[in-house]
Amino acid sequence: MSDAPPDQGDYRPEIATATEVRPLTATERLFHLILPHRALGHLPGQFVQVSLPGIGEAPISVSSSFTRTSGFDLCIRRTGNVSEALHRVKAGGRVGIRGPFGCGAPLEKCMGQDVLMIAGGLGLAPLRSLVQYICDYRDRFKKVTLLIGARTPETLLFADEYNAWRNEGKINIEATVDTAKKGWTGSVGLITNLIPQIEIWPTSTVVVACGPPIMYRFVMRKLQQRHIPDDRIYLSLERRMKCGMGKCGHCQINDVYVCLDGPVFRYDRLAALPEAVS
Amino acid sequence: MNKLRVAFYSLTSCEGCQLAFLECEDRLLDILQQVEIVRFREASSYEGGELDADADVAFVEGSVSTAHDESAVRTIRMRSRRVVAFGACADLGGVNAIKNRQGNEAAKERVYGPYSSWIHTSDVRPVSAVVPVDFTLHGCPVDKDELVRYLYALAVGRKPADPTAPVCFECKLRENICLFHKGGTCMGPVVRGGCRAICPAYGAGCDGCRGLAPDPNVALMRTLLREKGLNSEAIRRRVDLFNASAVPEDLRRELTGYA
Amino acid sequence: MHDHPLGADRTMTIEHVARVEGHGNIVVNIREGVVEEVRLEIVESPRFFESMLVGQDAPAAPELTSRICGICSVGHTTASIRAVETAYGIEPSAQTILLRQIMLHAEILQSHILHLYFLVAPDAFSAPSVIPLAEKNGEVVQRALRLKKFANRIMAVIGGRHIHPVSMKVGGFTRIPAEGELREILKAAPAADADIDETVKLFEGIRFPDFKRDTEYLALRQADRYSFYGGRIESSKLGPVDPDQYLSLIKESVVRHSTAKHAHFHHKPFAVGALARYNLNGRETLSPRARRAAAALDLEQMKDNPFGNNAAQVVECVHLLDEIADSVRSVISLGLKDEKPARVPETSGHGVGAVEVPRGTLYHEYEMDGLGHIAHANCVIPTGQNLARIEQDLREMVPQILDRPESEVRLQCEMLLRAYDPCISCSTHMLNVEFRK
Amino acid sequence: MKEKFLPGERVEDLAEYLSQRYRLWAPAAKEGAFVFAQVVDAGDISMDYSTTLLPPKHAFLPTAEILASVDLQTGEADSVRPDDPPPAIFGVHPCDLNGLARLDQAMREPPADAAYHRANAGAFIVGLACLKKCRPEAFCDSTETFRPNGHFDLHLTPMEGGFWTSVQSDAGRALADDTGLFEVPTDRQRAEYEHVRRGIETTFAGRRLNLKTLAADLPKIYPHRMWEKLAERCFSCGACTAVCPTCVCFDVRDEMSDGCRTANRCRSWDSCLLKDFAVVAGGENFRGRRAERIRHRMMRQGSYLARRFGLPVFCVGCGRCPHVCLGKISPLDVFEQCQKEVGSGVGRAA
Ligand SMILES: Cc1cc2nc3c(=O)[nH]c(=O)nc-3n(C[C@H](O)[C@H](O)[C@H](O)COP(=O)(O)OP(=O)(O)OC[C@H]3O[C@@H](n4cnc5c(N)ncnc54)[C@H](O)[C@@H]3O)c2cc1C
Ligand code: SF4
Ligand code: SF4
Ligand code: SF4
């Protein structure tokens, strides 16, 4: 039996070089990586499988837009085996890369529309690639808003880039933190509190949200109160992943695979997936 | 690269788990390239005292059953960056804990008679009941291949994988015939695997040396054992072989059927 | 450290003697230049197996008592099985006996190899342990590992594993090895034979300390063969006694400085183990190759020297390799049958199981109540039998070498202890026998 | 399709021929049961076997394998198993042929699994018809997988004097011509084969499921208390998925070997029934409850994967899982109960 489809999803990684490593917060680091023979060729919202030999592999979203450099950025939080070992990698170090995987953010759908991005915590890492893309093709979009939530001011990711996004990218940015000490002049409170305050035209806005499952529960309620139709809301989901090609079964949510059909899903489709956001 | 400094210690045990390390045989010399053994009384002499080595990883075999064990394990904890509960005695209390169910005085009286008062022993506890434990190697004895994987994982600075699938899963992968189909009994459905179902593969039912799997369906287990004619007493003896003090009381009641 | 002779009033303490199995200390007290007291302190935690056995189903005893000791777990399993079998008059089949013998012989082989290469050889090569030895004499250690692996492989094929074997049960095995698996053993045997010949050569070159004393030896004996599995108890002075009479020969007593009991034979310390077996069985019962090894090592000259135990172990290794190959061939030629372990009755009974294990004769004795549950248990472990002898040896040996530097005295004391290959964790169980007042 | 006749006494020669060119797997006896084992001696093959303990899945997807390996000193990546001949499986019953077809479909759906593809390029399959049901738990009649459905190179149907052989692929044709073991069937043989074939259709006629609607029916009972009841009988042990010819879930881990000189990427079978299957970093478990996991498996077998691959049902009715499950959970019962509830079954409506 040998009907031979072309080799596609391999388990052997390509070896990328980390040309720059920059700490962002106490637990997150930003890596700039370059592949030897090619550009990654990713879209905003896609992810790669990052690995170190003998340690393991982890799915990580690409944090930069293909419009910026030939390399790409990964923002990695220290949580376990692979991420901790990656945090020990210095500039010039090498890491394994497979991908890009997934189908990414709904660029087409956003074109000519207002775009509302909602980022909770580490959720800004994947959304940054969309932000950068929007900045680079600003005329393709109408009003662009970015809501950012974090636990404390110190854990806000990419804070040094907000001004550039605001000024050059003409993006309206609101950031809020759960708790803050003296000196913080921004909002304090949950990210959901920001939603009632902003201007939204429900039928010409596309929402892209990325954050932990608990955030989605509350954000969705607020968005629905503002009458945004479900088919204009996109959520990015996280699941365990082993292969990245819809085989291993780990990232399956009902009958879809996050690695193939996601990680970004339109909300009305999620309604048919009771396991998605419970 | 600095070698990982590894120490092996033993408390109340049969020293079989330490021996399992020596039984890695042809891989032993490879392992020694990655790790430096700083304490291993069973196989080496060394300068200094029994417990005064600073280690990256201490493999502690055996359960805590005396004041001496207890102070030893506290010293080991202070001196070691990581502590591994090494084998069923350290992980669960193991066979030693059968004594807990009999009572220390009764046990001493039985074995030492009029000389009981010379002997000191306390309730048997797993290592984790005395000091925090970072990792656990399950089994009585530990599985050699798993031990090697552990050492390599620790040598490259990562948490070793700790599989939780029940014994049944690996039993199927080995194409064993289920003990229940052969007319016997087995604790495999509720016991944590990782042993590659060695007992069923050699025709014997699992007795649970790796402890309970997560979220065990103990009620169903009891039903199956009852169907095969085991009464509460027989189930209790089975559970107590390695888990006399390791199974939480409520699960134990449900499993044995004791009110 | 202490490199002058021991002074007038001194206590020399060797704590946690290394390269023995289990925890033990040697204490030597000297007053006015005379050795006043020698103690072998066993500080291993007591295990209480005789108590833990109470209430168990008799067929569960082998699995539990295997955990007395990881090094001789096949030995404990076998003795335990035999105790239950004799209690109920269960006669194992010829196939079962052969498979059991292969298991037991392989364990003794692997234990001796471990002891000789890992624990004894470093002394001979003046290395602190086998690890630096591996760096200096890589091939020697490789050879040891190959032999150990050969023995372990055999136990894995038949019993599932060496440490706490799986398939050995009362009345039989839960899995019968496939013929092909047994043939693999035979295929690997010639390489092991070559390695064992090299082992003999290696130990021919080692000079053991010269120390003689007069003592009684005990071992199991059969008329026609060098006995490990089965037989009756014999001593150098006494005729054969049935195993269930062991308590009439061996008196155990609680000693304050030790969690392990001491044993005496007619109120005197005695020795068990490889040298005892050799002395009692006699060289005629050895395989021809083992007989040659005994001659090469001059074992006859060391019958009264405790260090001769090491040489006897080498000789036994040769013999065991030959025995194993013979038994494997016999099992194959009998044609492997898919036998199941016997059913064990749930009634009262009483039985003693005695087998030779690496360090000497091991006894398990159980008494079952009317439901077939163990009501009373007693295990007499070889190291426990040797402890009094070791103490006595130290007492006799230390004065002879007291003029040497302390480091040498210490080393030779440790070497003496190691020569007996004491298995301390297994001897720290206690028994319910008569107590010395 | 070409048709041939293989005289009974030449079966071993055919196996022998295959074993010289392939890594041959065939049914063999093990402790009174049967397994697909790598063949050392064609004489060990049992042509008259009931269902094997594991399906032949492991010939194509080993229970544990190394997908890639890197020598850390030279930095060289090893392509694993470079010289191994492709696998061949001999004597596969129709349920397992259907199982292999589904496995293939799942692993080769773009993006295809390159490791699977590399290892199995040029594989050869010889089917073997079942004339009657192998065991009471089997329900290949209900799933209509008692027919081989074309996923083979050669297919043998036992009959008087030997085997009717259907030749499906070019490789099968080449082999049939090469070996000279096969004969041109006579008219009498053709007539007899027709008779056997019709006999199979009659024997396997009793369906208990409505395959037309099953995949759509199951999601309708997604919220239902039957899952909780089912969970009371489930150990969450994963035995069912291990023995299933169509379950493909696996784990990938990176491990060091030989003194940390080599890093291996290892794949081993996994199971969606296992408690930790859907845990993500941080500890959230997306199917933390037993009822959710057993439901997921039933949905995968009866609906999700069926719909994904355009099949009426993904389960092939081999009956292995109800046989090994100590809680006696059977997909057939679950599917049937579902159709009763929904009112679409072949039996009575709800
Ligand atoms: C599409 C996608 C995009 C992501 N993007 C980013 C990103 O941009 N930045 C970022 O920092 N993180 C991101 N993550 C999360 C990141 O993948 C996880 O934090 C990551 O797996 C951490 O790997 P680790 O080896 O460091 O952690 P570990 O906890 O060591 O996890 C190792 C593996 O084991 C699994 N695991 C976790 N817990 C358990 C358990 N209890 N039992 C068994 N197995 C367990 C994990 O899922 C993982 O596969 C993303 C995840 C997904 C799915
Ligand atoms: S866990 Fe078992 S093998 Fe390990 S030391 Fe304890 S009794 Fe011995
Ligand atoms: S359904 Fe049965 S076989 Fe499957 S996990 Fe549950 S108990 Fe195990
Ligand atoms: S679900 Fe069960 S019956 Fe169906 S194919 Fe899998 S193992 Fe066979």
Side-chain angles (χ1 to χ4, degrees):
Chain A
M1 304 303 303
S2 61
D3 37 325
D7 276 13
Q8 292 190 32
D10 206 341
Y11 292 92
R12 290 179 291 203
E14 289 172 75
I15 306 301
T17 305
T19 54
E20 204 189 317
V21 182
R22 180 156 67 92
L24 294 179
T25 70
T27 49
E28 277 94 9
R29 270 166 190 253
L30 190 68
F31 296 76
H32 187 71
L33 300 174
I34 293 183
L35 285 169
H37 306 301
R38 62 173 180 115
L40 184 63
H42 64 286
L43 294 170
Q46 282 194 302
F47 67 95
V48 288
Q49 287 275 15
V50 188
S51 62
L52 289 169
I55 307 274
E57 209 173 35
I60 301 290
S61 301
V62 182
S63 274
S64 60
S65 166
F66 67 93
T67 49
R68 291 282 160 110
T69 68
S70 59
F72 57 97
D73 289 346
L74 301 179
C75 165
I76 294 169
R77 169 177 292 177
R78 200 175 64 218
T79 53
N81 277 335
V82 180
S83 48
E84 265 171 30
L86 281 166
H87 274 231
R88 296 196 288 265
V89 170
K90 305 213 164 45
R94 289 150 28 114
V95 301
I97 294 290
R98 294 194 297 130
F101 297 109
C103 51
L107 289 180
E108 306 266 294
K109 179 96 180 191
C110 293
M111 305 264 182
Q113 306 281 316
D114 291 350
V115 180
L116 168 60
M117 291 173 280
I118 305 175
L122 193 54
L124 186 56
L127 280 178
R128 179 171 174 262
S129 68
L130 182 58
V131 172
Q132 288 186 346
Y133 179 88
I134 290 174
C135 290
D136 295 345
Y137 289 104
R138 186 60 186 86
D139 51 344
R140 295 184 182 177
F141 307 90
K142 296 213 296 258
K143 190 161 71 77
V144 179
T145 309
L146 170 60
L147 307 182
I148 302 171
R151 272 177 295 113
T152 60
E154 297 75 41
T155 58
L156 277 171
L157 293 172
F158 305 109
D160 55 340
E161 300 180 23
Y162 299 169
N163 277 341
W165 296 347
R166 278 194 184 106
N167 301 334
E168 294 146 38
K170 296 188 228 30
I171 293 180
N172 169 28
I173 300 181
E174 299 288 338
T176 180
V177 297
D178 298 348
T179 51
K181 297 204 196 80
K182 259 192 256 140
W184 170 251
T185 54
S187 340
V188 175
L190 294 179
I191 193 164
T192 37
N193 297 346
L194 299 176
I195 298 174
Q197 300 165 18
I198 51 170
E199 204 182 42
I200 300 178
W201 274 269
T203 50
S204 60
T205 300
V206 175
V207 182
V208 185
C210 188
I214 176 100
M215 177 188 102
Y216 292 147
R217 238 165 281 158
F218 295 104
V219 162
M220 282 313 304
R221 207 171 296 157
K222 294 284 177 193
L223 293 175
Q224 281 163 339
Q225 281 167 10
R226 308 251 3 222
H227 308 293
I228 302 182
D230 286 355
D231 64 356
R232 294 189 149 265
I233 302 172
Y234 291 83
L235 306 181
S236 180
L237 300 183
E238 183 186 334
R239 284 297 184 277
R240 189 158 172 191
M241 283 176 192
K242 293 295 182 179
C243 66
M245 34 184 138
K247 311 283 182 246
C248 76
H250 284 272
C251 73
Q252 197 177 9
I253 301 177
N254 299 105
D255 59 353
V256 304
Y257 292 94
V258 174
C259 68
L260 294 182
D261 310 318
V264 186
F265 290 93
R266 209 171 78 191
Y267 187 71
D268 61 330
R269 301 223 167 105
L270 292 183
L273 307 178
E275 286 182 340
V277 194
S278 49
Chain B
M1 201 176 80
N2 282 341
K3 285 190 181 179
L4 187 77
R5 291 168 57 83
V6 172
F8 287 90
Y9 297 109
S10 71
L11 308 173
T12 304
S13 76
C14 79
E15 306 212 355
C17 292
Q18 283 195 50
L19 183 64
F21 174 72
L22 294 181
E23 297 205 342
C24 293
E25 283 133 14
D26 35 12
R27 286 171 294 184
L28 212 48
L29 300 179
D30 272 345
I31 295 169
L32 291 177
Q33 309 224 309
Q34 291 303 315
V35 305
E36 182 192 344
I37 307 291
V38 295
R39 282 293 178 276
F40 196 145
R41 193 190 30 71
E42 190 176 301
S44 63
S45 312
Y46 38 75
E47 293 288 307
E50 172 81 355
L51 299 171
D52 61 0
D54 292 316
D56 293 319
V57 187
F59 286 82
V60 182
E61 170 198 66
S63 31
V64 177
S65 81
T66 60
H68 177 268
D69 283 346
E70 182 166 344
S71 80
V73 80
R74 286 189 201 284
T75 311
I76 292 165
R77 177 71 264 188
M78 279 190 314
R79 293 230 161 219
S80 320
R81 270 196 331 122
R82 297 261 188 270
V83 168
V84 180
F86 188 38
C89 296
D91 172 20
L92 308 165
V95 292
N96 302 315
I98 295 173
K99 180 181 65 114
N100 292 8
R101 298 272 159 198
Q102 304 182 322
N104 292 323
E105 289 313 313
K108 282 200 313 197
E109 172 63 31
R110 245 181 226 142
V111 182
Y112 293 86
Y115 298 85
S116 298
S117 62
W118 291 3
I119 299 296
H120 300 285
T121 183
S122 50
D123 264 358
V124 165
R125 284 171 293 168
V127 170
S128 63
V130 181
V131 296
V133 161
D134 299 281
F135 308 116
T136 300
L137 256 167
H138 309 274
C140 180
V142 296
D143 179 86
K144 285 183 269 184
D145 293 338
E146 199 173 24
L147 170 59
V148 174
R149 278 201 304 278
Y150 254 66
L151 284 167
Y152 286 163
L154 292 166
V156 295
R158 100 176 140 77
K159 292 194 293 276
D162 186 12
T164 58
V167 175
C168 291
F169 185 63
E170 291 173 298
C171 191
K172 292 294 158 294
L173 299 189
R174 275 187 91 152
E175 301 189 276
N176 299 329
I177 296 171
C178 179
L179 262 295
F180 283 97
H181 293 165
K182 290 204 245 184
T185 56
C186 181
M187 301 285 288
V190 293
V191 170
R192 174 200 284 267
C195 52
R196 285 168 300 178
I198 181 165
C199 295
Y202 280 81
C206 166
D207 283 327
C209 76
R210 289 178 164 247
L212 287 183
D215 191 17
N217 192 339
V218 287
L220 183 58
M221 187 77 255
R222 185 189 66 223
T223 309
L224 290 186
L225 294 175
R226 277 283 170 79
E227 278 170 15
K228 292 283 177 183
L230 269 67
N231 60 18
S232 293
E233 253 311 293
I235 299 174
R236 182 196 59 71
R237 281 195 297 273
R238 189 81 177 258
V239 175
D240 280 358
L241 190 59
F242 294 101
N243 292 281
S245 66
V247 176
E249 259 333 291
D250 53 333
L251 292 188
R252 191 183 146 88
R253 270 198 300 275
E254 212 178 334
L255 192 47
T256 55
Y258 278 123
Chain C
M1 279 187 336
H2 322 267
D3 242 359
H4 41 79
L6 288 158
D9 286 8
R10 287 254 1 214
T11 300
M12 177 184 88
T13 310
I14 309 173
E15 278 196 350
H16 294 290
V17 179
R19 282 186 281 133
V20 298
E21 203 265 353
H23 302 247
N25 307 329
I26 297 173
V27 181
V28 178
N29 269 326
I30 295 161
R31 177 163 301 170
E32 293 167 10
V34 179
V35 179
E36 185 173 63
E37 193 193 5
V38 174
R39 279 198 322 266
L40 176 59
E41 296 180 343
I42 300 300
V43 292
E44 183 82 14
S45 315
R47 303 284 307 278
F48 297 99
F49 273 93
E50 281 97 342
S51 174
M52 297 195 289
L53 279 163
V54 173
Q56 303 287 343
D57 285 328
E63 184 179 357
L64 176 57
T65 52
S66 162
R67 270 75 186 176
I68 292 175
C69 175
I71 294 188
C72 33
S73 56
V74 171
H76 280 285
T77 305
T78 312
S80 180
I81 288 173
R82 288 301 297 143
V84 179
E85 285 177 351
T86 37
Y88 294 115
I90 298 170
E91 282 302 327
S93 71
Q95 170 175 290
T96 295
I97 292 174
L98 278 168
L99 290 174
R100 250 182 225 166
Q101 283 174 339
I102 299 170
M103 284 295 286
L104 186 65
H105 294 165
E107 177 171 84
I108 298 172
L109 173 64
Q110 96 90 34
S111 172
H112 282 357
I113 293 293
L114 179 76
H115 179 241
L116 289 166
Y117 276 93
F118 283 43
L119 315 184
V120 176
D123 287 332
F125 289 97
S126 312
S129 78
V130 68
I131 294 160
L133 187 63
E135 282 153 18
K136 275 196 293 179
N137 299 61
E139 166 52 23
V140 171
V141 175
Q142 296 277 13
R143 188 197 307 141
L145 294 175
R146 278 196 304 271
L147 281 165
K148 244 175 76 57
K149 190 176 179 185
F150 173 74
N152 278 336
R153 182 77 209 127
I154 294 170
M155 291 183 273
V157 160
I158 298 173
R161 62 187 170 206
H162 160 221
I163 310 169
H164 312 327
V166 176
S167 64
M168 297 179 80
K169 300 285 169 193
V170 175
F173 282 77
T174 51
R175 177 184 179 273
I176 308 300
E179 188 181 318
E181 293 174 311
L182 294 175
R183 292 205 181 277
E184 290 297 316
I185 297 176
L186 292 179
K187 248 186 249 158
D193 283 339
D195 281 335
I196 208 72
D197 291 343
E198 286 302 312
T199 305
V200 175
K201 283 203 197 106
L202 176 75
F203 279 86
E204 267 176 55
I206 292 179
R207 288 196 53 76
F208 295 109
D210 190 23
F211 165 62
K212 286 209 159 62
R213 86 290 193 237
D214 180 34
T215 192
E216 189 74 18
Y217 289 103
L218 254 70
L220 293 179
R221 224 169 86 65
Q222 268 154 294
D224 50 346
R225 64 189 304 177
Y226 196 97
S227 180
F228 292 103
Y229 178 90
R232 303 169 80 195
I233 313 169
E234 274 194 38
S235 86
S236 12
K237 304 213 171 68
L238 230 78
V241 172
D242 278 337
D244 58 3
Q245 297 303 307
Y246 74 105
L247 284 181
S248 70
L249 299 178
I250 303 166
K251 303 279 181 229
E252 290 208 277
S253 54
V254 175
V255 186
R256 185 118 209 188
H257 60 258
S258 159
T259 48
K261 286 188 183 173
H262 283 197
H264 292 83
F265 174 74
H266 291 272
H267 307 292
K268 285 207 196 95
F270 63 98
V272 292
L275 189 58
R277 285 190 289 261
Y278 173 81
N279 287 346
L280 287 159
N281 284 293
R283 44 187 293 185
E284 313 72 50
T285 53
L286 290 169
S287 75
R289 197 162 57 124
R291 233 174 287 158
R292 284 196 297 279
L297 291 164
D298 227 355
L299 191 50
E300 281 299 310
Q301 297 310 306
M302 285 195 281
K303 286 184 129 175
D304 300 320
N305 181 346
F307 294 95
N309 196 48
N310 295 322
Q313 287 178 323
V314 178
V315 171
E316 283 194 342
C317 286
V318 181
H319 179 76
L320 287 164
L321 264 184
D322 295 337
E323 277 282 299
I324 289 169
D326 273 357
S327 311
V328 170
R329 274 186 223 105
S330 307
V331 183
I332 295 176
S333 69
L334 279 177
L336 287 154
K337 286 175 285 294
D338 189 19
E339 302 168 342
K340 299 274 173 284
R343 258 194 57 81
V344 181
E346 288 168 7
T347 57
S348 60
H350 172 264
V352 174
V355 288
E356 288 292 326
V357 297
R359 292 152 190 86
T361 321
L362 170 64
Y363 305 90
H364 279 221
E365 176 185 11
Y366 310 141
E367 208 178 298
M368 272 66 73
D369 66 16
L371 296 170
H373 296 155
I374 295 175
H376 173 90
N378 190 17
C379 308
V380 181
I381 271 92
T383 295
Q385 299 170 57
N386 276 331
L387 285 175
R389 186 63 249 171
I390 299 173
E391 248 180 29
Q392 184 61 30
D393 282 359
L394 285 167
R395 226 167 268 140
E396 291 174 27
M397 183 182 79
V398 172
Q400 294 179 17
I401 56 173
L402 209 51
D403 52 338
R404 303 196 196 158
E406 180 175 342
S407 63
E408 251 183 82
V409 178
R410 283 173 165 270
L411 179 65
Q412 191 155 327
C413 287
E414 286 192 58
M415 281 171 67
L416 179 91
L417 180 62
R418 282 199 281 269
Y420 280 89
D421 190 5
C423 189
I424 292 171
S425 66
C426 99
S427 56
T428 54
H429 73 108
M430 281 303 165
L431 351 141
N432 216 354
V433 286
E434 296 153 49
F435 293 93
R436 185 176 57 170
K437 299 291 171 196
Chain D
M1 199 189 320
K2 245 165 112 177
E3 279 143 353
K4 297 270 187 187
F5 184 79
L6 179 69
E9 68 278 8
R10 297 197 192 150
V11 169
E12 278 189 24
D13 300 331
L14 175 59
E16 194 61 48
Y17 180 92
L18 286 168
S19 73
Q20 277 156 20
R21 288 160 184 80
Y22 296 89
R23 273 182 288 133
L24 181 65
W25 299 74
K30 179 190 172 177
E31 297 177 45
F34 296 95
V35 296
F36 275 98
Q38 268 193 278
V39 172
V40 202
D41 182 347
D44 295 340
I45 298 177
S46 319
M47 288 299 275
D48 191 16
Y49 73 101
S50 64
T51 314
T52 51
L53 293 166
L54 285 183
K57 176 169 78 169
H58 56 306
F60 285 180
L61 184 70
T63 54
E65 67 181 318
I66 295 175
L67 295 170
S69 107
V70 193
D71 183 321
L72 293 174
Q73 276 153 348
T74 62
E76 253 161 55
D78 229 9
S79 90
V80 185
R81 296 188 299 204
D83 309 319
D84 274 3
I89 319 180
F90 190 80
V92 184
H93 284 166
C95 60
D96 284 342
L97 287 175
N98 281 284
L100 289 172
R102 283 157 169 70
L103 173 68
D104 234 44
Q105 219 170 346
M107 294 303 273
R108 293 189 209 247
E109 180 204 29
D113 186 298
Y116 176 87
H117 178 64
R118 261 198 307 277
N120 299 317
F124 197 92
I125 299 175
V126 182
L128 177 64
C130 292
L131 305 185
K132 56 177 182 14
K133 239 198 225 181
C134 56
R135 56 158 54 134
E137 294 98 329
F139 53 100
C140 52
D141 44 0
S142 287
T143 51
E144 291 192 10
T145 45
F146 61 90
R147 298 187 200 97
N149 293 345
H151 191 77
F152 54 82
D153 297 279
L154 299 175
H155 184 70
L156 311 178
T157 306
M159 54 180 265
E160 182 72 43
F163 299 88
W164 183 266
T165 309
S166 314
V167 184
Q168 176 78 8
S169 63
D170 291 343
R173 221 181 315 272
L175 182 137
D177 294 342
D178 257 25
T179 54
L181 295 170
F182 296 87
E183 293 170 356
V184 178
T186 62
D187 287 347
R188 240 197 84 224
Q189 285 168 331
R190 183 173 302 276
E192 203 207 313
Y193 165 66
E194 254 323 295
H195 179 71
V196 172
R197 202 189 55 77
R198 275 198 306 273
I200 294 175
E201 290 291 328
T202 335
T203 310
F204 291 88
R207 276 200 287 123
R208 278 166 59 188
L209 295 174
N210 177 357
L211 289 186
K212 285 201 192 66
T213 61
L214 179 65
D217 293 341
L218 272 165
K220 293 181 191 154
I221 56 156
Y222 190 86
H224 197 288
R225 53 185 295 279
M226 70 179 281
W227 305 116
E228 299 293 338
K229 297 299 282 178
L230 216 51
E232 288 172 14
R233 283 160 49 202
C234 173
F235 280 114
S236 207
C237 69
C240 50
T241 62
V243 300
C244 179
T246 72
C247 280
V248 288
C249 292
F250 56 81
D251 188 16
V252 179
R253 282 183 199 281
D254 287 3
E255 298 282 0
M256 289 291 183
S257 74
D258 50 340
C260 297
R261 285 187 299 273
T262 310
N264 293 327
R265 180 152 291 170
C266 312
R267 160 152 71 195
S268 54
W269 290 8
D270 205 339
S271 167
C272 64
L273 257 315
L274 299 178
K275 170 95 173 161
D276 295 335
F277 187 78
V279 172
V280 296
E284 178 127 18
N285 190 343
F286 290 98
R287 270 188 296 277
R289 295 179 47 250
R290 211 151 50 209
E292 293 168 342
R293 295 195 293 276
I294 185 82
R295 174 174 65 192
H296 183 69
R297 165 162 155 78
M298 292 300 167
M299 291 282 166
R300 253 177 85 97
Q301 290 298 319
S303 178
Y304 300 161
L305 295 184
R307 285 195 300 193
R308 191 168 190 103
F309 296 109
L311 294 161
V313 59
F314 209 65
C315 162
V316 295
C318 69
R320 285 187 180 90
C321 66
H323 180 73
V324 299
C325 177
L326 294 169
K328 303 199 175 63
I329 294 176
S330 163
L332 177 63
D333 297 341
V334 173
F335 297 163
E336 200 174 32
Q337 190 188 343
C338 160
Q339 294 201 313
K340 272 197 190 128
E341 303 273 335
V342 177
S344 64
V346 283
R348 275 159 307 284

